[in-house]
RNA sequence: GGUCCCUUCGUCUAGUGGUUAGGACACAGGAUUUUCAUUCCUGCAACAUGGGUUCGAUUCCCAUAGGGACUACCA
């Protein structure tokens, strides 16, 4: 079956792409790539009231940024199009008619008010909520009369009585439902649009989807879908339901509580490779004693299998994401990081908007910071002093390193630096060590005040590399300024 | 309320009918380093509870508890 694998990711354009959705897409992608199958992207826009302008683009952008490219979809086409449900209305109408013809479905003329009343009454009586099948046995004459009167209607599926529906979830095993708990679901709405249930079943069949990998909120709808396949005389696909991703308090990830969408993570300085790797490991692991954590896309694809997906929901640990992102930051190059970092610098007004991203100075700064930063944003935040002299100095560090006698030391260092033949990290290193040896002052006691004078903070890249990049003029000017500060 | 799903360190997880229950992140301590970060040691820390089945259960079964999903003319 390996080459027959066809999977799909089917988001509805109601907003941004949530990381939970992104991971479902990721697992679909991984399964397709692992099996040499096809990854289809389908837009489920059958609810016109929830449609959000720009959502499709946001979803496309998020998936592309994460590196999840699809083989068939709205923009790239394919043999099973169209891939947007609102463009497939005729298909659903025809299929609905098929069901009506075979007496597997019926028109329901109940008003929303009546439905509401029934629901409340049933709830009160502690009965199963859901439709009471009022229109299921309408006579032909009655139906004709209502139809001729122009009464609005929906089409409902006739759930057979006294049956049990069993389906196999690839990561949970067999799941069984009695049809008693299933009500007659709406398959075609009064506006002529299909509901998710119908559209989903029809499309998955027509698009020859072999495996449906979706969020586990769909488990309880699956028996209805199985019944629909049955009514159409189709073989259902394989099902596998992905667990949800939670925030640290155990609730759903939400924008309110922090990052929730793929773009949130991007904007907060997470790298695509890192998020890909991290999300893959959330709810899945290679198993079999394989304890790799940092894995390339190809390694993940090679090791992936649906059976190793865990059925339990997982909490997204941002600390671990940071750790992994740091690994990818260090591994990346200044050139690759530059566009993202520069964008942040430009937003902060640290560099002018027309500044060239391939500027060697900029790349030099990034190179100095990337190994010690966990996120792209960290570089942008911590490297500001490379673009302007420090306005003030870190108070705690001042107490520790700016002492009256520091003035003398800095002055002498400046004199030495002034007479340096060439201003480079190596020479500076030698100079500091020589000076330390000559005076008996420890290197640390020279380095710390210099660092504070030059950068304004007590931490950062290697001092001598930093000085070299900053250049002699800036270094001398800042040291001079620090001396003034100490004296006053 | 009903139906269904889930349950190994704080978090992500590996794993087995008999193991000192392994790794990673985080945390704590130490070493290295001019700072920070890295790196390297060390430490801390888990099989939800109760019944079975079994010579033996973390592992298999059943309950209970806790968490979650669904219960729309939303997906």
């Amino acid at each position: 079956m390996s080459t027959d694998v066809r999977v799909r990711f089917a988001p509805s354009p109601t907003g941004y792409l949530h990381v939970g959705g992104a991971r479902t897409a990721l697992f679909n992608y991984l399964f397709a790539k692992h099996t040499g199958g096809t990854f289809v992207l389908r837009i489920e826009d059958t609810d016109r009231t929830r449609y959000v302008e720009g959502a499709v683009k946001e979803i496309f952008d998020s998936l592309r940024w994460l590196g999840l490219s699809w083989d068939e979809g709205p923009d790239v086409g394919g043999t099973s199009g169209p891939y947007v449900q609102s463009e497939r209305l005729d298909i659903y109408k025809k299929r609905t008619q098929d069901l009506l013809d075979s007496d597997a479905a019926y028109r329901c003329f109940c008003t929303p008010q009546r439905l509401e009343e029934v629901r409340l009454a049933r709830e009160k009586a502690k009965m199963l909520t859901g439709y009471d099948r009022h229109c299921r046995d309408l006579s032909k004459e009655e139906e004709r009369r209502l139809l001729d009167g122009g009464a609005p209607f929906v089409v409902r599926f006739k759930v057979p009585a006294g049956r049990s529906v069993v389906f196999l979830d690839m990561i949970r095993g067999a799941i069984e439902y009695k049809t008693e708990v299933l009500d007659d679901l709406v398959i075609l709405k009064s506006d002529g649009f299909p509901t998710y249930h119908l559209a989903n079943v029809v499309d998955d069949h027509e698009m020859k989807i072999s495996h449906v990998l979706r969020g586990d909120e769909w488990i309880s709808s699956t028996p209805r879908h199985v019944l629909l396949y049955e009514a159409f005389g189709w073989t259902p696909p394989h099902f596998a339901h992905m667990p949800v991703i939670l925030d640290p308090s155990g609730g759903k990830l939400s924008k309110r509580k922090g990052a929730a969408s793929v773009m949130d993570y991007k904007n907060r300085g997470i790298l695509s490779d890192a998020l890909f790797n991290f999300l893959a490991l959330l709810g899945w692991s290679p198993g079999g004693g394989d304890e790799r954590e940092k894995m390339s896309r190809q390694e993940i694809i090679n090791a992936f299998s649906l059976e190793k997906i865990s059925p339990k929901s997982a909490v997204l640990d941002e600390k671990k994401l940071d750790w992994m992102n740091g690994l990818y930051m260090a591994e990346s190059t200044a050139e690759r990081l530059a566009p993202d970092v520069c964008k942040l610098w430009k937003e902060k007004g640290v560099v002018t908007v027309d500044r060239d991203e391939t500027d060697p100075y900029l790349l030099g700064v990034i190179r100095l910071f990337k190994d010690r930063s966990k996120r792209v944003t960290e570089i942008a935040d911590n490297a500001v002093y490379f673009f302007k002299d420090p306005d003030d100095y870190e108070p705690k560090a001042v107490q520790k390193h700016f002492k009256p006698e520091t003035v003398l030391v800095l002055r002498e260092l400046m004199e030495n630096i002034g007479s340096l033949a060439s201003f480079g990290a190596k020479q500076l290193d030698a100079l500091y060590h020589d000076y330390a040896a000559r005076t008996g002052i420890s290197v640390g006691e020279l380095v710390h005040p210099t660092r504070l004078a030059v950068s304004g903070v007590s931490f950062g890249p290697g001092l001598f590399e930093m000085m070299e990049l900053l250049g002699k003029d800036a270094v001398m000017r800042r040291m001079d300024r620090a001396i003034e500060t100490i004296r006053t």
Side-chain angles (χ1 to χ4, degrees):
Chain A
M1 71 167 193
S2 62
T3 50
D4 301 321
V5 167
R6 285 175 62 84
V7 293
R8 75 339 186 244
F9 177 59
S12 67
T14 54
Y16 53 84
L17 181 63
H18 189 272
V19 284
R23 193 191 48 169
T24 300
L26 172 64
F27 285 168
N28 271 283
Y29 171 86
L30 291 173
F31 185 60
K33 292 299 157 194
H34 179 83
T35 56
T38 305
F39 179 39
V40 177
L41 179 65
R42 183 171 77 216
I43 300 298
E44 310 221 320
D45 59 343
T46 54
D47 185 353
R48 294 161 311 153
T49 61
R50 293 207 311 160
Y51 185 83
V52 173
E53 202 60 47
V56 171
K57 184 182 184 303
E58 163 95 9
I59 290 165
F60 280 19
D61 289 349
S62 299
L63 291 172
R64 286 215 182 85
W65 177 75
L66 242 194
L68 307 182
S69 52
W70 46 99
D71 305 303
E72 295 178 21
D75 54 339
V76 297
T79 53
S80 309
Y83 295 90
V84 178
Q85 290 187 328
S86 59
E87 295 168 18
R88 302 171 62 82
L89 263 27
D90 291 346
I91 300 172
Y92 309 125
K93 239 165 227 164
K94 182 188 175 306
R95 290 309 185 183
T96 302
Q97 191 57 50
D98 289 348
L99 255 24
L100 247 16
D101 292 344
S102 64
D103 201 32
Y106 60 94
R107 294 189 179 83
C108 167
F109 297 88
C110 292
T111 61
Q113 298 82 263
R114 195 190 99 80
L115 259 20
E116 178 66 9
E117 281 160 23
V118 169
R119 194 182 64 77
L120 286 169
R122 294 195 142 217
E123 209 165 81
K124 215 168 167 186
K126 291 206 193 322
M127 287 169 70
L128 245 48
T129 54
Y131 184 54
D132 65 354
R133 299 181 171 169
H134 180 258
C135 297
R136 182 156 163 157
D137 300 311
L138 237 46
S139 66
K140 284 283 163 226
E141 299 71 46
E142 182 67 0
E143 183 179 19
R144 193 71 259 162
R145 193 182 63 75
L146 286 160
L147 232 33
D148 290 345
F153 65 90
V154 299
V155 177
R156 288 183 183 271
F157 179 67
K158 268 189 191 173
V159 172
R163 287 262 318 271
S164 111
V165 182
V166 182
F167 63 92
L168 217 56
D169 181 285
M170 292 179 77
I171 60 188
R172 271 164 260 261
I175 296 176
E176 178 180 359
Y177 278 84
K178 306 259 180 253
T179 54
E180 275 65 49
V181 302
L182 273 23
D183 67 348
D184 288 354
L185 60 146
V186 173
I187 55 175
L188 198 74
K189 303 183 232 178
S190 55
D191 63 1
F193 276 65
T195 58
Y196 170 83
H197 304 293
L198 204 237
N200 159 274
V201 166
V202 168
D203 287 351
D204 284 343
H205 176 260
E206 307 231 335
M207 294 180 182
K208 299 186 169 52
I209 299 302
S210 62
H211 300 255
V212 169
L213 319 182
R214 79 233 291 196
D216 69 6
E217 68 270 24
W218 293 110
I219 291 179
S220 51
S221 296
T222 306
R224 301 166 217 268
H225 300 168
V226 171
L227 254 15
L228 277 167
Y229 280 104
E230 210 178 280
F232 279 121
W234 299 335
T235 309
H238 299 287
F239 294 102
H241 292 93
M242 312 293 132
V244 296
I245 298 179
L246 307 171
D247 83 342
S249 65
K252 278 187 185 169
L253 276 176
S254 70
K255 294 253 182 196
R256 254 191 72 79
K257 286 190 262 187
S261 74
V262 170
M263 286 305 169
D264 285 341
Y265 286 95
K266 175 182 189 283
N267 294 335
R268 288 170 194 222
I270 298 297
L271 264 19
S272 168
D273 287 343
L275 192 59
F276 185 103
N277 191 163
F278 184 79
L279 248 27
L281 252 26
L282 204 58
W284 173 83
S285 73
D290 186 343
E291 284 174 340
R292 285 177 296 172
E293 298 259 19
K294 182 165 177 297
M295 298 169 78
S296 69
R297 290 170 194 260
Q298 195 54 52
E299 285 173 324
I300 294 170
I301 288 168
N302 292 151
F304 190 75
S305 83
L306 290 179
E307 290 76 15
K308 297 303 292 180
I309 294 175
S310 161
K312 61 178 282 210
S313 51
V315 172
L316 193 152
D317 180 1
E318 281 212 24
K319 285 260 182 61
K320 187 158 185 176
L321 210 207
D322 279 344
W323 162 76
M324 185 167 276
N325 202 56
L327 258 31
Y328 280 96
M329 294 275 293
E331 191 186 78
S332 187
T333 61
E335 286 76 9
R336 269 192 291 161
L337 259 14
D340 289 339
V341 181
C342 285
K343 183 165 170 276
L344 292 167
W345 276 334
K346 286 172 184 175
E347 280 167 14
K348 291 163 85 85
V350 173
V351 304
T352 55
V353 289
D354 56 348
R355 186 75 174 257
D356 184 0
E357 287 168 5
T358 61
D359 181 328
Y361 184 76
L362 261 40
L363 293 176
V365 175
I366 295 170
R367 208 165 284 125
L368 248 30
F369 276 89
K370 72 178 188 66
D371 287 3
R372 45 179 32 81
S373 301
K374 298 206 177 297
R375 294 160 97 121
V376 177
T377 45
E378 214 174 299
I379 299 184
D381 293 340
N382 290 337
V384 173
Y385 57 78
F386 270 94
F387 302 97
K388 74 190 221 306
D389 291 0
D391 295 324
D392 40 29
Y393 306 94
E394 192 184 312
K396 261 173 103 175
V398 168
Q399 267 185 11
K400 223 168 153 189
H401 303 301
F402 277 2
K403 305 213 172 100
E405 61 268 30
T406 313
V407 172
L408 201 72
V409 175
L410 287 178
R411 270 208 182 119
E412 286 195 23
L413 284 168
M414 283 178 72
E415 272 167 38
N416 285 316
I417 292 169
S419 55
L420 218 46
S422 85
F423 187 81
K426 243 200 206 129
Q427 290 78 4
L428 288 163
D429 193 322
L431 185 156
Y432 271 65
H433 279 89
D434 286 349
Y435 183 88
R438 244 181 10 251
T439 59
I441 303 175
S442 74
V443 178
E445 284 175 273
L446 304 176
V447 165
H448 297 312
T450 309
R451 171 184 296 285
L452 189 57
V454 168
S455 73
V457 292
S458 62
F459 60 93
L463 176 66
F464 307 121
E465 287 78 23
M466 191 167 115
M467 290 167 83
E468 177 179 325
L469 187 62
L470 236 19
K472 190 173 174 178
D473 291 347
V475 167
M476 295 295 256
R477 183 174 68 238
R478 292 178 183 194
M479 287 177 83
D480 200 49
R481 162 94 192 283
I483 290 169
E484 290 309 310
T485 307
I486 300 170
R487 292 178 57 183
T488 54

